[in-house]
Amino acid sequence: MPEPPPCTDIACDVLVVGGGINGVGIARDLAGRGLSVVLAEKDDLASHTSSASTKLIHGGLRYLEHHEFALVRKSLAEREVLLRSAPHIMWPMRFVMPHDPGMRPVWMIRAGLFLYDHLARRELLPGSGTISLHGHAVGAPLKRHYTKAFVYSDVWVDDARLVVLNAVDAAERGATVLTRTACVDARRTAREWHATLRDAAGRSRRVRARALVNAAGPWAAQFLVDHAHVPQRRSLRLVKGSHIIVPKLFDHDHAYIFQNPDQRIIFAIPYEGDFTLLGTTDVEHTGALGSPRIEAGEIAYLCDQASRYFERPVLPGDVVRTFSGVRPLLDDEADDPSAVTRDYALEMDASLAPLLSVWGGKLTTFRKLAEEASDLIAGPLAAPRGAWTEHALLPGGDLWASGGGTQVPIGGVVEGFERFVEALSARHPELPRAVCLRLARQYGSRADQVIADKPLGDPIAPGLFEAELAYLHTHEWARSAEDVLWRRTKLGLHYDGAQREAVARWCESQWQDHCVAAESAWR
């Protein structure tokens, strides 16, 4: 995916500003419709909100309490569309809700789960039910007074990789993806936009685009006023969500959803084999957009609520890592941040050269949002092709190509993936099975491409070879150790300081070579 020479100005159909899930989703959709697209992201892909989610593709069971039936229906329909498109980075997960008589009554939970099962078509995921916790594996880590639980299905996703794979697909369909490149100015005429992009080295590049998409997430309102010189018509509610990661609290593969006395819920999710992910909080965010940090009170809140359910208390000292993100939610004037809608709005202004702004949204509905946004843009620009993503695979998603399209093999998603891992291990006996499993999860059918070079090169850190790092650098825009360890992979959780530093040294050497090459092209 070579970038154009830095000295070259660019003319395109659409300039997309923002490399989070909505921006890359729109860039991918538009490129697939035959439009020329440039995407500019001021940092790394998924470096903010889109990599700080609870990592679920879900309908939003609690949204039913706020009567957001349309949003829940749309989200539920998207679960299986997305699962079919990328069964390597997504997988079904069962969620356990211990019944607490002091919280929501049984009839309310059953009614909610009935709607959750039936609001949208469901083929791959099992429906809800009830279980006795005593004598069941999911009851073992819980306090003994919890005797009954409700179970239902949703989907787990590697959120940062979802963003990257959309960007990869966009680039392979002709889009130009520019990371660490900010849109610092955009001027509008009747027929086109004249934008100035500035990269990390301070070099500028001009772009002429027939339309502009503002998918800047938390920065969407600021971008319009400060850089696009357009009055702000909508306001965003900025809500910070924080998560903590602790050593694993249970050995089974189910997740928990816990009801709290404040009427909120938190999740406890198996994470990276050795850990449990706990989250999320919902607090108003008033600080800097680019660097949200968890507060001590948020850590205490998550620990306290988890400790209401788990037999072994969760303490702040158990926390091995935290992450926080700022959600740009539509301001519906709800008093409680948890009650603010997670739906989205698309604002199209075609009075001059088209401007489309994205407000709000959630990970689960990104594809539908991108499709609707692309419909709005495609009309004025006379796109050669129409909507196409509903039945398309993301890169690496063709684990069972012989089945045709997105057809799931007999036995289901989980069994099909396990068969894929076994076949990958058989093709690469030189690699431990654990490494093959990780590569299959991250790259799917492209795992063979990642490890195609033989030898694989030196192991930079346990299970991480030069060949994979080179692939991430060349094909996935990874430039720093943080890009590699916390977004393209989650290996940072498994490495000590010296191992993380070894990865950083490799990335720094490649970044220096990249900068030298870019500077040479610039001259």
Side-chain angles (χ1 to χ4, degrees), residues 27 228 250 303 446 491 496:
F250 45 89
C303 290
R446 299 195 174 191
L491 289 171
D496 60 26

Side-chain angles (χ1 to χ4, degrees), residues 21 29 39 75 84 92 112 156 193 352 354 385 407 409 451 501 520:
I21 188 59
D29 194 309
L39 181 142
S75 300
R84 292 174 190 272
W156 165 265
W193 286 86
L352 297 170
R385 295 184 288 277
Q407 180 179 338
I451 53 180
E501 180 58 31
S520 176

Side-chain angles (χ1 to χ4, degrees), residues 76 129 173 384 413 481:
L76 289 173
R173 296 176 188 275
V413 174

Side-chain angles (χ1 to χ4, degrees), residues 112 164 190 192 212 245 258 262 266 348 400 424 427 432 456 498:
V164 169
E192 62 185 10
L212 186 147
I245 300 171
F258 294 147
D262 58 5
I266 66 167
M348 180 69 166
W400 30 82
L424 182 67
R427 290 195 300 274
L456 295 172

Side-chain angles (χ1 to χ4, degrees), residues 4-11 204-208 522:
C7 56
T8 304
D9 293 344
I10 305 174
S204 295
R205 176 183 296 174
R206 294 183 298 274
V207 175
R208 291 186 295 109
W522 180 264

Side-chain angles (χ1 to χ4, degrees), residues 454-466:
K454 294 183 179 179
L456 295 172
D458 294 330
I460 305 303
L464 181 63
F465 295 86
E466 285 184 307

Side-chain angles (χ1 to χ4, degrees), residues 95-99 106 109-110 113 129-130 148-152:
F95 288 77
V96 179
M97 179 189 290
H99 177 54
V106 168
I109 297 174
R110 284 181 172 162
L113 289 174
T130 59
K148 176 182 179 180
F150 303 90
V151 291
Y152 68 94

